[in-house]
Amino acid sequence: MIALCDVNNFYVSCERVFNPSLWHRPVIVLSNNDGCAVARSNEVKALGVKMGVPFFQIKNLVKQHNIAVLSSNYALYGDMSQRVDDIIALYSDQVENYSIDECFIRFNGHEHVNLVQHAEKMRQQIWQWLGLPVCVGIAPSKTLAKVANHCAKKLANVPSVFKLDTESKIQKALKNLPVKEVWGIGRQLSKQLNDMGIATALQLRNADLKSMRKRFSVVMERTILELRGIACIEFDADPEKKKQIICTRSFGEKITRLELLKEALAYHVTRACVTLRQQQSQAQSITIGIRTNAFNANSKQYSNSITIKLPQASCQTNLFLKAATQGVEKIFRLGYEYKKAGIVLNDISDAGMIQADLFMPQADDNKALMSVLDDINNRFGKGTLRSAQEGFNEDWVMKSEIKSPAYTTRFNEVIKVI
DNA sequence: TCTGGGGTCCTAGGACCC
DNA sequence: TCTGGGGTCCTAGGACCC
């Protein structure tokens, strides 16, 4: 059996832990740049606010219902997520972290215990120690565990830990589930399925495997098998390293000058390379992209990207900084208002796996420099030591106007109880 | 006026090989 | 009029997820 443990309304729940005034109020947490609603309390969901709605479109609703609105505080959410993981580790050593607020858990070796009771104890401990509400779905496959979790969260007569183990329970759950809600079935596929007369998860489960594989793909085939209780999506407790590292941001203000784009890109390159070194990897190619505001139909649009391949894989910030600067000079066009810039590191491999070039001098790998840089920044805080290319302008920094304190990760922001 | 960010996997098609 | 067969690797684009 596989369990899916998921924190309810995660970002909102994290905010509520440290701010009781939010307990009985509708709450929204915004995306980066205070752009969209990305987390909603149940009260807000009940008001019909959809995931990802632009904030400016719901400003009236916010006023009308006295909704509390917060910028996202990833230092807080990341730290709380780690604390949840620590508690879950007390209950199983087979955990696949699937996202910041959910994980799959296996209980091999726990066949003698009652899984529902075991998971219920875990749920209560997370609530008691952290004040975070979680639901747990248990089933024979990941996709069904997702369904079970969905039932636990959405259905009034279903407990917070819910096991889908008998054929009749599975049938009943799937019969009432729109096919769009199935893990792996998104907007495009559900539209096609609906056109075929497949509206519920149960109908999808009963569809003909061969013809579905032919019409769609192996992904669809696997989803159907998973709904039948045949686990075929791998459980991976030890995820591989990232295969690409992306750092992108929208700007708080529109930008027209190349110089500022370079600074923003330098900042992104720096962050990406830290991640790269943390997972002991190196990358050989970098893509640099810039774009105007695609939503603004009245402004002149431009978007472009360029990929630069390094002669050798590396994890040195300075090499990627140089590449990013050269790249953006090539794609920059004067006369546009830029809204977003970012970079992607690709061709990632394990650090030290160098395919040398017979005719090139051995690259100076600057290992010592990078590790001193990382050490100092780890000890004294991000950005203590940084490249001057990042500049000292703040023109492009994203908006984050209503952010809560870093309650758990910064000493001078820890709550004082007097 | 105001619209996020970071990932994964799969497939088709092109280029190339013998 | 007739034009092989069997592969690999890479990339772009599309779908999905949270």
Side-chain angles (χ1 to χ4, degrees):
Chain A
M1 297 296 270
I2 296 174
L4 177 76
C5 176
D6 173 308
V7 184
N8 306 346
N9 312 331
F10 181 56
Y11 296 174
V12 167
S13 297
C14 289
E15 299 289 352
R16 280 179 166 169
V17 169
F18 296 94
N19 185 350
S21 77
L22 301 175
W23 288 0
H24 302 291
R25 264 181 89 182
V27 183
I28 285 176
V29 176
L30 299 175
S31 65
N32 272 331
N33 226 18
D34 293 345
C36 304
V38 290
R40 303 150 295 151
S41 68
N42 288 342
E43 301 88 341
V44 174
K45 288 178 184 172
L47 289 171
V49 175
K50 299 274 181 252
M51 173 69 178
V53 165
F55 178 49
F56 72 89
Q57 289 178 1
I58 50 169
K59 274 191 175 158
N60 282 335
L61 202 70
V62 164
K63 215 175 250 169
Q64 200 183 327
H65 295 276
N66 190 28
I67 300 176
V69 180
L70 293 153
S71 304
S72 36
N73 181 348
Y74 291 102
L76 175 64
Y77 313 146
D79 185 61
M80 294 301 278
S81 174
Q82 183 58 53
R83 289 166 193 245
V84 173
D85 294 346
D86 291 345
I87 295 175
I88 290 173
L90 302 174
Y91 289 82
S92 171
D93 56 358
Q94 303 149 67
V95 181
E96 175 184 340
N97 281 112
Y98 179 65
S99 76
I100 192 165
D101 75 322
E102 65 186 282
C103 60
F104 291 104
I105 310 169
R106 266 193 329 204
F107 297 100
N108 292 357
H110 289 71
E111 284 78 7
H112 57 287
V113 303
N114 180 320
L115 279 189
V116 172
Q117 283 173 14
H118 192 60
E120 177 58 27
K121 213 173 135 199
M122 178 178 86
R123 189 184 75 85
Q124 284 176 17
Q125 191 165 351
I126 293 171
W127 174 250
Q128 192 187 358
W129 286 16
L130 302 180
L132 291 175
V134 307
C135 282
V136 184
I138 306 173
S141 69
K142 281 185 172 179
T143 306
L144 284 178
K146 278 274 201 183
V147 172
N149 186 280
H150 186 268
C151 295
K153 261 201 284 192
K154 306 277 173 181
L155 304 181
N157 53 347
V158 169
S160 298
V161 175
F162 183 50
K163 188 160 82 156
L164 267 184
D165 50 352
T166 66
E167 180 60 23
S168 69
K169 276 160 92 180
I170 293 174
Q171 293 237 4
K172 193 176 159 203
L174 297 185
K175 196 175 157 190
N176 295 313
L177 191 67
V179 74
K180 167 81 182 63
E181 300 301 320
V182 174
W183 192 44
I185 306 295
R187 261 224 316 268
Q188 306 299 325
L189 290 174
S190 60
K191 212 165 77 191
Q192 292 182 54
L193 290 169
N194 282 326
D195 290 346
M196 294 169 69
I198 297 177
T200 69
L202 185 63
Q203 287 173 317
L204 179 61
R205 182 195 209 223
N206 293 332
D208 178 67
L209 197 60
K210 263 202 184 131
S211 62
M212 292 299 278
R213 156 93 198 227
K214 203 166 170 194
R215 156 128 195 216
F216 296 94
S217 76
V218 66
V219 183
M220 177 67 81
E221 185 183 30
R222 284 204 282 252
T223 296
I224 293 171
L225 285 169
E226 287 252 322
L227 288 174
R228 294 179 184 177
I230 300 163
C232 44
I233 298 175
E234 209 184 331
F235 182 91
D236 189 4
D238 185 26
E240 301 275 303
K241 296 170 177 179
K242 280 179 191 154
K243 295 165 184 172
Q244 54 179 195
I245 296 170
I246 304 177
C247 288
T248 326
R249 284 282 180 282
S250 298
F251 306 128
E253 308 282 334
K254 291 171 206 144
I255 282 184
T256 53
R257 284 156 58 203
L258 173 61
E259 178 200 335
L260 291 177
L261 285 180
K262 282 185 180 172
E263 291 184 8
L265 287 165
Y267 174 72
H268 298 322
V269 166
T270 303
R271 286 195 302 139
C273 287
V274 169
T275 304
L276 190 65
R277 290 192 293 272
Q278 266 168 3
Q279 65 165 33
Q280 274 136 42
S281 293
Q282 56 191 8
Q284 197 167 359
S285 86
I286 177 170
T287 301
I288 297 100
I290 53 176
R291 69 170 312 126
T292 52
N293 184 356
F295 291 103
N296 190 346
N298 300 323
S299 66
K300 277 195 301 174
Q301 295 291 322
Y302 175 70
S303 123
N304 205 353
S305 69
I306 184 170
T307 298
I308 294 174
K309 186 145 187 165
L310 266 46
Q312 270 184 19
S314 169
C315 60
Q316 285 178 61
T317 304
N318 50 313
L319 293 184
F320 289 104
L321 283 174
K322 199 166 149 194
T325 303
Q326 288 168 351
V328 72
E329 279 170 1
K330 287 207 181 103
I331 57 176
F332 176 79
R333 298 285 178 275
L334 205 60
Y336 292 97
E337 292 179 321
Y338 294 92
K339 182 62 181 172
K340 195 171 182 174
I343 65 111
V344 185
L345 298 182
N346 258 315
D347 285 348
I348 291 179
S349 54
D350 288 341
M353 302 272 292
I354 296 291
Q355 176 61 59
D357 182 325
L358 188 57
F359 301 105
M360 237 182 41
Q362 185 66 43
D364 173 14
D365 65 5
N366 269 338
K367 221 182 246 163
L369 176 61
M370 287 302 125
S371 95
V372 167
L373 180 77
D374 290 339
D375 286 348
I376 289 176
N377 285 335
N378 279 335
R379 180 160 169 194
F380 296 102
K382 262 184 237 167
T384 301
L385 204 56
R386 58 184 188 149
S387 160
Q389 288 184 56
E390 288 178 46
F392 298 92
N393 284 295
E394 301 250 302
D395 308 42
W396 45 269
V397 168
M398 70 175 181
K399 262 192 285 185
S400 182
E401 287 172 344
I402 18 183
K403 190 157 87 175
S404 54
Y407 298 111
T408 61
T409 52
R410 204 172 284 169
F411 273 120
N412 56 8
E413 295 182 17
V414 169
I415 289 179
K416 291 188 189 96
V417 179
I418 303 167

